[in-house]
Each structure stands twice: as structure tokens, then as C-alpha cells.
Amino acid sequence: MKSLPRRPLTAGLAAVACLALATPAAAQPGNRTVLDGLTRDQTAQQVAAAAQQAKQNHRKGHGARISNPTLDAALAQMVADGAVGVTGRLESSTTTWAGAAGLRDKDAKSKAKPNDRFRAASNTKMMISVLVLQEVQKGVWQLDQPVADVLPTLLPDHSEVTFRQLLSHTSGMPNGTNELLFRHITDPSSQEQFEAAVKRDYAPQEHIDAINDAPWTTPGEMLYSNAGFVALGMLLEAQNGTSLQTLLRERVFKPAGMHQTTFDLEPRLTGAALHEDGWLGEADGWMELDQFDPDLLWAAGAVTSTTADLNDFTRALFSGALVSPALVEQMMTPESGAPLHYGLGLYRITDPCPSDDANPYLYGHDGAALGTLSVAFSSPDGQRQFSVGVTGRDLSTLQGRVNLNDVLVPMLQASCPAA
């Protein structure tokens, strides 16, 4: 990682320094604000708003008229607004499109390409959920079974926590990434401490130790928790006697045809990839993230993928190729109504396309790494998919310089079947 000039941090960056892939908010050691959850909520709100806007536009007769040049222009606009690189893909009965704009790295001349890899971050959670539900399908686990049955010492003060609660973020467990970073950031204004913390190599147990030492909220309320999925990763490894990397490769990536997807445990993306950079504002400039260690996310977000592979994953999932249709239905059923209609490892948004179907929603997830935002959604029949990856994330404000809706709205409109 190229160090930034050693200067006192601005108020915005001081907040970033304790965010854990988050948006600035009330950042002081010990503060219980779920910073990463706020960021994801912000991204999810953009996705939901895009679906609503696309639905309104479609009702006005603009649906399937969206052209590929319009989608290409939307990506170019995101770069003009401040993104470094953007890649998007849409596959439906009426439109097949893939595009890219910007650069693979802000300091290089190599242009972004449609098949470039990027950090998929919390889209990983859909894949971890598939592994858990495969254990349920085999009869090894039950959704409402306490995880203490598998690892009694995992959550010693919360032995009642179930698989369903971890998958739906309703166990009361805190975010975890924030609590983990605060163990290594004693001064929120210290750029040096922040850089060291995000480059540090973390063991899964460190995530769990951090939340076991922190206060929990009331079970049943949704509180977005990265640590909950770290716990699920540890449970999967304990149950199967093999690494999570192997389980994902053999039971998710291969059967879904995700040939460019990996579960990364080491820093630095290689090959054809969109490299991460985070914008810290005019005063502090760019933070290069080549030395960011994905162990900071592990089972909650260490997957690197492409838009093609993310579409292949959601198509395989909703076509019943990874788990049974009955369990996919369980995944889609919301366990909470606020801030997200979140099921088991995924959430739903309004389907903008007119339909007589009893399920008028699209399902998927979003991801927010330090320098990358991503989205992957599908119709429940597996017939329409769209995904986006954006690097050059603005960490200085809640709103950011780039609005995902600029590309999501036309993508959603273009996905609608012809009238």
C-alpha cells in the first residue's frame, strides 16, 4: 500500500479510520454504531430506490426500449462522477449486455474490461448461505438448531443462537468488523493505525473473540453482522473437516460455473482485475488498497468475482442447481422488515417489470469493500440477472460521489420482458 502523506486526518477521514469497510458515522472507540451496517444500508437503499424508479419508468412505457449504448453511457457517467473502474452485466430474455468503463487501476493506463475481477465483498454471504443450506438439505443441520450443538465453545454466553439467526442477522450479535478493528485502533484520528489495521492478517477466531467481548442487542431484531458469517464459516469447517476455500470451490463455484471466482485470503488482486482505491476527500486524496488483507472479512466478504460469475451464481441458485427449491424459498422469505427485507443470506427489492407472478421481487445482495461497491440480483425464476462492480469508492461521505442508481435504473428497465 502506498502511504498517504502523514498529516492530521480530516473529520471525515477520522470517521473512516474506524469504519471497517464503512461510511463515516460517530466514530469513537467503544461507540456501538454499526458503521459497516450503515454503509450496507446506504447501498441497499440505493438498490431499492433504483428498483422503484425503474418500475415508475417502465409504467411510462420506457422499459425494454433501453439500448446497450444507453447502458454503456451510464457506466461512462459513473467514471465521470468519480469512479475509477466500472463493470456491469445484464442477462434476460430481451437483453444481453456487458460493458465496462474507466481504468483497472487509477495509476495505470489499462482500461477496465467487462470480464475483470473485483472484490465482491458481502455478496460472499449468499454463497456461505448456500453451503449452510446444503448441510440442512443433507439433514446434518437444522435451521432452528443452536450452533452450540456443533461448536459448544464458539459463543459461550449465547448458546441459544441458531443457524437461522446467523443467516438472517437476527441473533443480536454486533457487526464484528468494527469491534475487531477497534482492538488495533486506539486513536480514530491516526492514519497510520488505520492502515496497519486493514493490512493486518486476522484469524477467524479473532473476529469471534471481538464480538464475545462486546455487548449484544435483543435477538430477533436485524443487526447486520459480519461476525455472524465468520461464525458460519468456522462451523462449516468444523463440520466438514476441510477449508472454507475448498468448500466454496467444490460446492458453489464449480457447480455454478464460476470459473473466475476465488475465495481470497491474501492481499493484492492479480491478473485482469479492478484494483481497489478509496477516495478520502480533497484534503487526503486517495488511499491505495493493494495491501488490504481480505482476512478482515473472511467468510463475510473475501470472494473475488466477475459480473459474469455473479450472474451465473444467482442463475444457478434460483434455478435450483445449488440447493433445493424449497430451501431457496426459505432463503427468499424475509426474517425482518427493516432496514431490509432480509431472508437467509440475501434480501429482496421490488421487481420493476409488470408481472402476474405471485412473487413481484428480485433477490440478491450487495457488497461494500473499502474501495469497491458491487451488486448482484436475479429474478426468482432464474431468467433475469444483473450485476455491477465499481472501484474508486468514496469513503468521505455517506452519499459518495458515484450513485449506483445511474446504472441500476436503466439496467433494471432493460431487463423487463418486451410488452
Side-chain angles (χ1 to χ4, degrees):
M1 180 186 293
K2 203 180 285 184
S3 294
L4 296 173
R6 297 297 178 195
R7 65 167 75 93
L9 300 187
T10 63
L13 184 52
V16 173
C18 40
L19 46 87
L21 321 181
T23 301
Q28 295 296 328
N31 191 298
R32 298 213 67 268
T33 301
V34 184
L35 301 177
D36 186 47
L38 285 175
T39 293
R40 284 210 55 279
D41 292 351
Q42 185 75 12
T43 307
Q45 287 166 12
Q46 285 190 10
V47 178
Q52 291 289 353
Q53 183 61 55
K55 186 171 184 176
Q56 292 175 16
N57 291 353
H58 191 89
R59 284 173 172 170
K60 296 175 183 177
H62 302 306
R65 298 180 190 176
I66 297 296
S67 63
N68 288 4
T70 300
L71 297 174
D72 292 332
L75 296 186
Q77 184 60 52
M78 296 183 77
V79 173
D81 289 342
V84 173
V86 188
T87 178
R89 188 175 302 265
L90 168 65
E91 294 168 287
S92 73
S93 60
T94 57
T95 302
T96 299
W97 165 83
L103 303 173
R104 286 175 172 166
D105 190 307
K106 69 177 182 61
D107 295 324
K109 294 182 180 179
S110 180
K111 292 183 178 180
K113 302 295 184 183
N115 291 323
D116 284 350
R117 301 168 71 241
F118 52 86
R119 295 201 184 279
S122 285
N123 287 296
T124 302
K125 292 179 173 69
M126 292 191 286
M127 303 165 202
I128 297 298
S129 298
V130 165
L131 291 177
V132 172
L133 289 168
Q134 287 173 348
E135 299 295 329
V136 174
Q137 185 167 310
K138 291 186 294 184
V140 176
W141 292 343
Q142 297 178 15
L143 283 171
D144 296 311
Q145 173 185 0
V147 299
D149 291 352
V150 181
L151 283 178
T153 60
L154 185 67
L155 306 171
D157 297 326
H158 304 276
S159 59
E160 73 286 353
V161 170
T162 67
F163 287 100
R164 186 188 299 277
Q165 289 175 326
L166 292 181
L167 289 167
S168 60
H169 304 285
T170 57
S171 68
M173 183 183 293
N175 178 268
T177 312
N178 308 307
E179 287 76 10
L180 181 61
L181 280 186
F182 275 131
R183 290 187 162 200
H184 304 281
I185 299 175
T186 57
D187 178 6
S189 68
S190 171
Q191 175 183 303
E192 185 173 355
Q193 287 187 21
F194 175 62
E195 288 188 6
V198 299
K199 290 189 291 184
R200 191 176 181 277
D201 187 22
Y202 295 95
Q205 186 61 48
E206 291 183 79
H207 296 252
I208 303 306
D209 290 343
I211 58 95
N212 278 333
D213 288 343
W216 290 36
T217 58
T218 304
E221 300 175 6
M222 184 184 176
L223 180 63
Y224 192 82
S225 175
N226 283 332
F229 275 77
V230 171
L232 289 169
M234 295 173 69
L235 289 156
L236 285 161
E237 288 193 336
Q239 182 65 52
N240 290 277
T242 191
S243 71
L244 192 57
Q245 206 167 22
T246 299
L247 292 173
L248 283 165
R249 183 178 65 247
E250 297 301 320
R251 289 167 43 176
V252 179
F253 302 159
K254 283 186 178 180
M258 302 167 71
H259 304 301
Q260 300 301 315
T261 300
T262 54
F263 183 68
D264 292 325
L265 301 179
E266 298 298 331
R268 195 180 299 277
L269 297 176
T270 58
L274 301 181
H275 293 263
E276 286 205 296
D277 296 288
W279 175 250
L280 303 174
E282 294 293 340
D284 295 287
W286 288 99
M287 176 171 60
E288 296 185 12
L289 294 163
D290 278 348
Q291 293 303 314
F292 162 70
D293 196 314
D295 284 342
L296 180 62
L297 294 176
W298 200 57
V303 162
T304 299
S305 192
T306 66
T307 54
D309 276 8
L310 288 176
N311 280 7
D312 285 341
F313 169 76
T314 55
R315 183 183 303 109
L317 174 62
F318 292 107
S319 298
L322 299 176
V323 292
S324 70
L327 287 173
V328 173
E329 188 69 30
Q330 290 255 27
M331 292 180 72
M332 295 190 300
T333 303
E335 296 286 334
S336 59
L340 298 174
H341 293 282
Y342 203 100
L344 305 180
L346 49 77
Y347 65 91
R348 74 185 190 192
I349 59 174
T350 299
D351 187 340
C353 306
S355 174
D356 294 330
D357 192 85
N359 191 349
Y361 302 104
L362 301 174
Y363 295 84
H365 216 287
D366 61 81
L370 272 172
T372 307
L373 295 174
S374 57
V375 174
F377 275 78
S378 174
S379 58
D381 60 6
Q383 297 301 305
R384 290 180 288 140
Q385 294 79 36
F386 69 90
S387 54
V388 177
V390 184
T391 53
R393 182 182 173 196
D394 186 352
L395 295 167
S396 65
T397 66
L398 270 171
Q399 290 76 24
R401 298 186 299 172
V402 176
N403 190 342
L404 281 170
N405 290 10
D406 288 345
V407 68
L408 291 181
V409 171
M411 284 178 74
L412 283 159
Q413 288 177 237
S415 77
C416 293

